Amino acid sequence: MNVLLFGATGMVGQGVLRECLLDTGVERVLAVGRSAVDAVFLGRMAGAAAATGRPVAKLRELIVPDVANLAGVEAELAGFDACFFCLGVSSIGMAEPEYVRLTHDLTLAVARTVVRHSPGATFVYVSGAGTDTTEHGRSMWARVKGRTENELLRLPFKAAYMFRPGAIVPLHGVRSKTSWVRLIYLAAAPIVPLWRALSPATITTSEQVGRAMLRVAREGYPQPILETSDINRL
């Protein structure tokens, strides 16, 4: 399987990239983004690969100035079996027009470009728990995510799946680029075992998200929207 990955430098994307590189069924990964994957993270991956005999050399990075405009690199996006879209921003302190631009508009611009060149691909979008597909709820971010999901599901991919994780525990050196998010995870770490025991349907890990993405790309899933419990089950 050949995988196209957007957002490999973020917390979710790092976890997905790790699972792709360690999966012997993945032949190549093209990570597209505005910046390169952290060299320290790739160094840890090289060590893991050496221990397991699974090569990291399958990764190639494509650095673009604007992910929403892929016109100059469209030929690079052909021949992929899966596209994992892990880009995302927090809506905190953001006006709705800007959040729409960075969430809905960017995602759809990428997806429409990818489907033209890899129509046989499975597209997996990282949305979020609480997304509102009615598009009329009170929560701005949930409406925007819901509109994005609805329009992605109408594109002519082989299949499309919307992942709606709740809390995601970063594992294996995966970390957020945002300092306040790192602090939240650090503070919450002592209660994670209890949280998972009491409310397993609301929490997952970066490893589980990545493995679940690979599995739906290979085998499909009965429904297009996957909540945290579906992700963990896969």
Side-chain angles (χ1 to χ4, degrees):
M1 181 165 63
N2 298 320
V3 174
L4 187 58
L5 175 59
F6 289 84
T9 61
M11 188 186 80
V12 176
Q14 286 177 32
V16 174
L17 175 60
R18 178 184 188 275
E19 299 312 313
C20 288
L21 295 180
L22 293 179
D23 190 306
T24 56
V26 174
E27 294 183 4
R28 66 185 178 108
V29 180
L30 178 63
V32 184
R34 292 187 304 158
S35 57
V37 178
D38 182 71
V40 174
F41 176 77
L42 287 181
R44 287 196 297 266
M45 282 304 309
T52 61
R54 300 166 181 171
V56 175
K58 67 178 78 174
L59 171 66
R60 187 166 74 87
E61 297 187 70
L62 180 61
I63 309 301
V64 295
D66 181 5
V67 178
N69 182 7
L70 300 172
V73 296
E74 289 195 28
E76 303 273 5
L77 309 180
F80 287 91
D81 304 294
C83 178
F84 299 150
F85 193 89
C86 306
L87 281 172
V89 295
S90 170
S91 64
I92 296 174
M94 191 175 293
E96 184 165 351
E98 182 68 0
Y99 188 69
V100 169
R101 184 181 72 83
L102 294 174
T103 300
H104 169 273
D105 297 352
L106 185 149
T107 306
L108 268 295
V110 168
R112 288 170 182 147
T113 303
V114 172
V115 78
R116 287 199 301 271
H117 297 277
S118 290
T122 294
F123 191 93
V124 182
Y125 173 60
V126 179
S127 185
T131 292
D132 175 20
T133 49
T134 72
E135 304 181 33
H136 298 297
R138 297 177 64 182
S139 174
M140 180 272 285
W141 78 264
R143 291 195 311 271
V144 175
K145 287 277 193 179
R147 177 183 167 198
T148 305
E149 285 188 2
N150 290 339
E151 294 187 27
L152 287 172
L153 289 170
R154 288 194 286 267
L155 293 179
F157 284 104
K158 174 186 174 183
Y161 297 97
M162 310 295 110
F163 272 41
R164 294 182 178 180
I168 302 175
V169 179
L171 301 178
H172 310 297
V174 168
R175 53 181 283 172
S176 172
K177 294 190 295 183
T178 307
S179 57
W180 64 265
V181 173
R182 292 198 299 271
L183 288 174
I184 289 173
Y185 278 108
L186 183 64
I191 67 168
V192 165
L194 181 62
W195 185 347
R196 299 202 72 172
L198 296 178
S199 188
T202 64
I203 186 169
T204 186
T205 70
S206 57
E207 181 179 68
Q208 286 174 300
V209 171
R211 291 184 178 182
M213 282 192 181
L214 287 166
R215 189 163 182 187
V216 298
R218 289 192 174 104
E219 303 174 15
Y221 199 67
Q223 68 229 25
I225 294 175
L226 290 84
E227 305 288 353
T228 301
S229 57
D230 300 295
I231 294 167
N232 291 342
R233 186 177 305 116
L234 282 169

